[in-house]
Amino acid sequence: MTTALRKSAVFYFTIITGISSCFCTDVNPEENPEIPAIAKYFSTKGRYEEVNPYLIEDILAVNRSILQPPSAQCRQIHLTAVIRHGTRYPTTKNVKKMKKLYDVVQGSNVSNRNWLRELQNQWRMWYTEDMDGRLVQKGVNDHKHLAVRLSKLFPSLISEEKLRGGFIKFITSSKHRCVNSTLSFKAGLTELWHIKDMEFDHVVNDALMRFFDKCTRFLEEVDNNPSAVTEVEKFKQGPEMRRVQQKIADILNIPYSAITDDMAEAAFYLCAYEFAIKTVNSPWCRLYDEVDAQVMEYANDLKHFWKRSYGYDINSKSSCILFHDVFSRLEKAAEENMSGQQVAEAVTVQVGHAETLLPLLTLLGFFNDSEPLTSTNFAAQTRRSFRTSHMLPYAANLILVLYDCGGGDLRLQPLLNEKPVTFPGLADQASMPLYQDVLQHYRDLLQGCDFETECQLFKQPAEV
């Protein structure tokens, strides 16, 4: 992307003020009438604040004590962050579904309920197809605020000196919502440090950030193959989803046949978008109770499980190119540090999609439950770890921080959404294992996991 194009895409930002270092943990969103009671079930349409509720009180709050290096002499030498874009408008596909539902509600007889009268008489369908997933102002703020928080968590790496010196690199997907999220992240830093005399480039790299579009085997066997999501379709036709649809039809006083599974999803999304974009607890949310929301969340989790995660081996293997890129940056930083050189790339910020993050998390082994998600085990999966509402809100992020603790003792700390997590298979080393142990744990992937080989078209997808 040329400098001129980058400049033309720049938003006009407001200055971030009121930076605070307190860490508030006593926030209970369920007691806030402005927050839908079902907000924690919005899957990939959820706010980042529902994952970290303390941010509701102070959007710039951090708690550096969560890092807990094994000794005081440990110093951070490199950070890689893979980040999902910020809050966005619905895509054209979802706007069409929402418009169909809106038309049904407009034609229904719901005059006996005040909040439904509000939907009919006051709420207007303001989403348009040309919005098509574009970043909203909340999404701008998501990344500006995240940039400031990360600079407070990792001040020796994300610093004005490192930014001005060219030690912080930015990579993004070509999608407008990702490019504008990257611009927002950079603006968060430049406004924090009042930098007005320099501009900072970013690189568009879809091979890394949209690898799923380049993997022929994934496209043929999963993404464009209806039979790959059989479990999802079975659940949509099953008793749990049918109950949700019938309940909505009863409320709207219309025939059961008038509410399809797409419309039930559209109403759920309307509740989620109104809240994420406008911070409004919309009347649409009152179509669902908590159990309904859990059903809708499970339907979304099923789709992501089978299309982007553990359902098929190629889902995670499609991210081999990003996996190797991340570890090659870590290895380069480790080698430069061990040889006494200054680490040339202190920070790498890579902005992509939920579909970028989830396959990588899967390849690394995170959130792998003992039983797969299926159309028939909704009740048995209430305590599952695979919850996209927790994993993939807007601005979700996987951060890997490399530490030098002296005497050749390198450590690697993973964080998901600013919270330490443990590498699967390395639980005995808590959240900051030896870097060499991490390399050993993933040795088969590091020695193999070739994108070109994995993405060649085979006859049958391999189920996990």
Side-chain angles (χ1 to χ4, degrees):
M1 181 180 283
T2 65
T3 302
L5 282 175
R6 279 195 295 273
K7 287 181 179 177
S8 69
V10 175
F11 286 95
Y12 291 94
F13 299 109
T14 55
I15 298 295
I16 297 175
T17 59
I19 297 176
S20 169
S21 60
C22 79
F23 184 74
C24 307
T25 59
D26 57 351
V27 178
N28 184 0
E30 295 178 2
E31 296 176 357
N32 188 338
E34 296 180 359
I35 298 177
I38 61 174
K40 60 185 177 181
Y41 301 109
F42 284 159
S43 187
T44 57
K45 307 296 186 290
R47 295 192 313 173
Y48 194 78
E49 290 88 332
E50 267 55 64
V51 174
N52 293 314
Y54 60 88
L55 296 176
I56 296 171
E57 289 292 314
D58 180 0
I59 196 62
L60 299 178
V62 299
N63 178 14
R64 296 200 69 219
S65 68
I66 64 172
L67 301 179
Q68 295 182 335
S71 72
Q73 70 184 61
C74 293
R75 59 185 181 89
Q76 302 152 2
I77 61 173
H78 175 79
L79 179 153
T80 285
V82 183
I83 311 174
R84 185 190 178 198
H85 59 75
T87 306
R88 61 167 174 81
Y89 286 118
T91 59
T92 297
K93 178 181 176 182
N94 281 329
V95 169
K96 289 178 179 178
K97 292 179 182 179
M98 290 152 61
K99 179 65 167 60
K100 285 183 180 180
L101 174 71
Y102 174 72
D103 290 341
V104 168
V105 171
Q106 288 298 297
S108 64
N109 179 21
V110 295
S111 59
N112 61 324
R113 295 172 185 256
N114 290 337
W115 61 273
L116 283 171
R117 283 204 302 272
E118 181 182 343
L119 282 182
Q120 277 194 323
N121 302 326
Q122 298 178 31
W123 195 89
R124 290 291 175 260
M125 181 62 189
W126 63 278
Y127 299 101
T128 57
E129 293 182 22
D130 60 354
M131 291 176 172
D132 196 25
R134 293 187 178 276
L135 198 72
V136 300
Q137 184 60 42
K138 174 63 166 63
V140 170
N141 294 337
D142 287 339
H143 274 255
K144 290 174 72 173
H145 294 151
L146 177 62
V148 173
R149 291 196 304 272
L150 293 183
S151 75
K152 293 164 69 178
L153 270 177
F154 307 104
S156 64
L157 292 177
I158 304 180
S159 66
E160 180 178 359
E161 179 185 3
K162 288 281 197 292
L163 183 62
R164 285 183 177 275
F167 298 102
I168 301 179
K169 307 295 184 183
F170 300 93
I171 300 170
T172 177
S173 153
S174 63
K175 285 291 185 179
H176 40 68
R177 54 186 170 272
C178 295
V179 172
N180 286 332
S181 291
T182 305
L183 293 171
S184 303
F185 192 101
K186 289 190 286 185
L189 298 181
T190 57
E191 291 170 3
L192 173 64
W193 299 316
H194 307 291
I195 298 175
K196 297 180 180 179
D197 59 332
M198 291 184 71
E199 292 186 354
F200 305 96
D201 288 347
H202 60 262
V203 175
V204 172
N205 189 335
D206 281 346
L208 282 181
M209 307 317 293
R210 292 185 62 83
F211 52 76
F212 42 88
D213 279 345
K214 317 290 183 182
C215 184
T216 303
R217 183 177 160 213
F218 167 73
L219 293 172
E220 292 291 326
E221 295 184 351
V222 180
D223 200 38
N224 298 323
N225 179 12
S227 66
V229 289
T230 300
E231 291 298 316
V232 182
E233 295 308 313
K234 284 181 179 177
F235 185 75
K236 287 183 176 181
Q237 304 304 318
E240 294 92 356
M241 185 65 81
R242 192 181 311 118
R243 182 189 62 80
V244 174
Q245 292 171 228
Q246 290 175 350
K247 178 180 172 183
I248 294 172
D250 286 338
I251 292 172
L252 298 178
N253 196 25
I254 59 177
Y256 288 161
S257 59
I259 297 294
T260 64
D261 56 87
D262 276 352
M263 286 187 180
E265 181 181 68
F268 195 63
Y269 283 171
L270 275 165
C271 169
Y273 280 118
E274 290 287 277
F275 182 57
I277 295 172
K278 299 165 65 177
T279 321
V280 170
N281 189 349
S282 163
W284 291 107
C285 301
R286 298 184 65 175
L287 289 171
Y288 301 89
D289 60 23
E290 187 169 15
V291 175
D292 301 331
Q294 290 169 351
V295 171
M296 300 306 298
E297 180 194 44
Y298 191 74
N300 277 306
D301 286 354
L302 263 180
K303 180 178 71 173
H304 285 91
F305 181 90
W306 289 99
K307 290 200 73 169
R308 302 290 177 178
S309 189
Y310 291 105
Y312 298 97
D313 185 56
I314 188 56
N315 294 344
S316 62
K317 293 295 177 60
S318 66
S319 72
C320 285
I321 189 169
L322 180 57
F323 171 86
H324 282 295
D325 178 78
V326 167
F327 275 89
S328 67
R329 294 176 193 278
L330 290 167
E331 192 61 17
K332 184 172 183 290
E335 290 173 357
E336 289 173 342
N337 179 71
M338 295 299 282
S339 64
Q341 302 176 52
Q342 183 174 20
V343 175
E345 195 166 310
V347 176
T348 311
V349 176
Q350 300 176 286
V351 180
H353 308 263
E355 297 85 357
T356 309
L357 259 176
L358 184 54
L360 180 61
L361 289 171
T362 303
L363 191 66
L364 293 170
F366 289 103
F367 308 108
N368 189 8
D369 296 295
S370 58
E371 294 294 326
L373 277 65
T374 70
S375 58
T376 58
N377 64 358
F378 165 72
Q381 289 282 14
T382 54
R383 300 181 66 84
R384 67 189 181 280
S385 66
F386 191 92
R387 294 274 306 280
T388 53
S389 297
H390 296 169
M391 299 151 55
L392 297 168
Y394 293 119
N397 51 85
L398 173 65
I399 297 172
L400 298 176
V401 188
L402 189 63
Y403 288 79
D404 181 353
C405 294
D409 180 8
L410 295 181
R411 303 272 176 158
L412 186 63
Q413 180 172 45
L415 299 98
L416 182 67
N417 301 327
E418 300 173 71
K419 290 180 281 194
V421 290
T422 302
F423 283 114
L426 294 172
D428 58 327
Q429 297 197 41
S431 65
M432 203 176 292
L434 292 168
Y435 174 58
Q436 286 302 320
D437 287 352
V438 177
L439 296 182
Q440 179 65 17
H441 180 66
Y442 292 116
R443 64 188 181 280
D444 290 343
L445 290 173
L446 289 166
Q447 293 168 3
C449 201
D450 177 70
F451 179 82
E452 296 298 331
T453 302
E454 296 292 345
C455 288
Q456 289 177 357
L457 188 60
F458 297 115
K459 290 185 178 180
Q460 295 293 332
E463 290 193 23
V464 177

